[in-house]
């Protein structure tokens, strides 16, 4: 992992920045009291580096649903911590990829996705919390379940130029991904990944890398937006971020390294089980009709959407083989 000079430079510089910030704004007593933040991100950052799900896919439900931490704080923590972990994974990906031209589409994907983030921040923050929770958990669970049991996988090594209506679909997906990130700090990566492996038939590994790098950019820009534009980040949030900072700095690129070697099918099934357990906890902890109604509706709609996308991927492969 440290054999790439630019990654070593990033890692050392980022670690030095953490040391300065930690002893300026934090202390060991606070870290000992809030040990669960770095503990959560041991798993969260590894997931962020090795799968199309960001670290927020672990951090948000654990903090907001399991530990009953405010939804906005859980969302902000997800963005803040991914700005380090997924950036670290992204730099490792760039260093370990010989032909970096495959990542050029991100230059126009990122601004479109960030526009969705700003739109969501301005218009959708007053939605009831349990609906946001139901949407998030249904999104990651439906995707993981459908994709892990599906038989069709992408085969293209890079993103081809979209044709006709595909530009509109891609723009809508990027905007939707940004809106998801504005609600729970992650989600743009999952949505983009789904589109890349279905409509554009990209290889899992490459689509995962693009999804990671997109979410890294949205996390950094979202962190800046919350801190400098809206000026809504508290000293407490900065302290919790600094508690988990060094963990994600290491674990996310480690996940990216494992991505190239792990059995993808086994990993996908494991993620599906984890997400299903999170959804079950949400539904059975302080159950309500609203929770069950919205979660069932979201699961049904999203499962149908993802199933149709996977089916279309299979149809496209049949057409290609016949041609």
């Amino acid at each position: 992992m440290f054999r790439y000079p630019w990654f070593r430079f990033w890692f050392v510089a980022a670690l030095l920045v953490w040391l300065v910030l930690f002893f300026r704004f934090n202390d060991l007593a606070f870290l000992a009291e809030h040990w669960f933040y770095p503990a959560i991100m041991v798993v969260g950052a590894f997931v962020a580096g090795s799968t199309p799900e960001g670290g927020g896919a672990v951090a948000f439900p654990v903090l907001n649903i399991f530990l009953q931490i405010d939804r906005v704080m859980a969302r902000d923590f997800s963005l803040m911590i991914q700005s380090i972990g997924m950036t670290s994974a992204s730099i490792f990906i760039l260093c370990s990829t010989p032909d970096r031209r495959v990542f050029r589409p991100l230059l126009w994907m990122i601004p479109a996705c960030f526009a969705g983030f700003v739109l969501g921040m301005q218009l959708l923050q007053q939605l009831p919390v349990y609906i946001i929770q139901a949407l998030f958990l249904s999104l990651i669970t439906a995707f993981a379940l459908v994709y892990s049991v599906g038989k069709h996988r992408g085969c293209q090594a890079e993103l081809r130029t979209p044709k006709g209506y595909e530009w509109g679909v891609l723009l809508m997906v990027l905007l939707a991904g940004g809106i998801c990130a504005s609600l729970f700090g992650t989600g743009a990566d999952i949505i983009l990944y789904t589109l890349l492996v279905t409509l554009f038939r990209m290889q899992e590994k490459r689509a995962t890398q693009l999804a990671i790098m997109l979410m890294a950019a949205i996390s950094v820009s979202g962190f800046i937006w919350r801190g400098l534009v809206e000026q809504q980040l508290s000293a407490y949030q900065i302290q919790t971020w600094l508690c988990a900072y060094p963990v994600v700095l290491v674990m996310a690129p480690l996940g990216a390294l494992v991505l190239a070697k792990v059995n993808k099918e086994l990993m996908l099934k494991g993620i599906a089980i984890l997400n299903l357990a999170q959804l079950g906890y949400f539904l059975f902890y302080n159950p309500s009709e609203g929770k069950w109604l919205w979660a069932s509706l979201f699961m049904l709609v999203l499962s149908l959407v993802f199933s149709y996308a996977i089916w279309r991927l299979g149809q496209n492969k049949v057409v290609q083989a016949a041609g």
Side-chain angles (χ1 to χ4, degrees):
M1 185 167 72
F2 293 103
R3 66 180 182 274
Y4 303 107
W6 281 107
F7 180 77
R8 287 201 303 269
F9 174 79
W10 150 259
F11 183 85
V12 172
L15 193 58
L16 289 175
V17 168
W18 172 75
L19 285 170
V20 172
L21 292 176
F22 185 84
F23 288 104
R24 171 66 177 83
F25 298 106
N26 212 345
D27 56 60
L28 294 176
F30 185 91
L31 174 60
E33 186 178 350
H34 296 79
W35 59 270
F36 51 90
Y37 279 95
I40 291 167
M41 294 317 301
V42 170
V43 176
F46 186 82
V47 167
S50 60
T51 77
E53 293 189 359
V58 174
F60 181 83
V62 171
L63 294 175
N64 183 227
I65 298 171
F66 296 175
L67 300 180
Q68 302 294 302
I69 290 173
D70 178 69
R71 193 270 305 179
V72 172
M73 292 190 66
R75 182 219 37 218
D76 289 347
F77 178 79
S78 296
L79 290 171
M80 294 165 71
I81 210 63
Q82 285 172 169
S83 71
I84 299 300
M86 298 192 84
T87 298
S88 190
S90 297
I91 292 173
F92 176 78
I93 289 168
L94 285 170
C95 291
S96 59
T97 304
D99 185 6
R100 300 183 184 92
R101 291 176 297 179
V102 297
F103 302 123
R104 284 180 179 175
L106 289 168
L107 295 176
W108 51 265
M109 286 182 177
I110 291 169
C113 192
F114 184 64
F117 176 85
V118 175
L119 185 67
M121 291 298 299
Q122 298 300 315
L123 301 178
L124 300 177
Q125 297 306 303
Q126 300 307 313
L127 283 173
V129 173
Y130 73 90
I131 294 180
I132 295 174
Q133 293 171 334
L135 173 60
F136 172 71
L137 290 171
S138 299
L139 173 68
I140 62 174
T141 303
F143 168 74
L145 286 174
V146 171
Y147 199 71
S148 64
V149 301
K151 297 179 180 179
H152 303 295
R153 299 291 186 262
C155 58
Q156 302 299 318
E158 58 184 281
L159 180 65
R160 60 173 172 78
T161 302
K163 303 173 184 177
Y165 78 96
E166 292 175 346
W167 281 108
V169 173
L170 188 53
L171 177 59
M172 289 178 60
V173 163
L174 290 169
L175 288 172
I179 289 173
C180 286
S182 76
L183 292 173
F184 30 77
T186 187
D189 39 8
I190 303 170
I191 293 177
L192 176 65
Y193 176 86
T194 304
L195 185 70
L196 293 180
V197 298
T198 53
L199 181 61
F200 294 98
R201 304 190 299 281
M202 289 190 67
Q203 295 174 355
E204 281 183 312
K205 177 181 176 181
R206 186 69 73 213
T208 298
Q209 291 174 335
L210 284 166
I212 287 171
M213 295 172 74
L214 174 76
M215 196 65 246
I218 298 304
S219 297
V220 172
S221 55
F223 187 177
I224 293 172
W225 179 270
R226 287 289 290 161
L228 299 183
V229 178
E230 296 185 342
Q231 298 183 347
Q232 292 295 315
L233 296 181
S234 65
Y236 176 83
Q237 288 175 286
I238 297 297
Q239 287 179 293
T240 57
W241 172 60
L242 289 171
C243 287
Y245 182 134
V247 172
V248 300
L249 183 63
V250 175
M251 294 303 296
L254 182 61
L257 178 64
V258 171
L259 172 64
K261 302 177 180 180
V262 73
N263 183 311
K264 289 290 291 181
E265 299 303 319
L266 182 62
M267 182 186 69
L268 285 169
K269 287 178 172 57
I271 292 172
I273 293 171
L274 173 64
N275 292 344
L276 194 59
Q278 291 177 334
L279 179 62
Y281 183 91
F282 165 71
L283 291 173
F284 288 101
Y285 181 80
N286 290 332
S288 68
E289 291 184 1
K291 281 186 176 183
W292 280 91
L293 174 63
W294 285 103
S296 299
L297 179 62
F298 288 141
M299 275 295 293
L300 176 62
V301 172
L302 290 169
S303 295
L304 289 174
V305 170
F306 291 141
S307 296
Y308 176 75
I310 297 298
W311 176 80
R312 282 299 302 268
L313 175 61
Q315 293 299 107
N316 289 335
K317 284 188 173 182
V318 169
V319 171
Q320 274 191 328

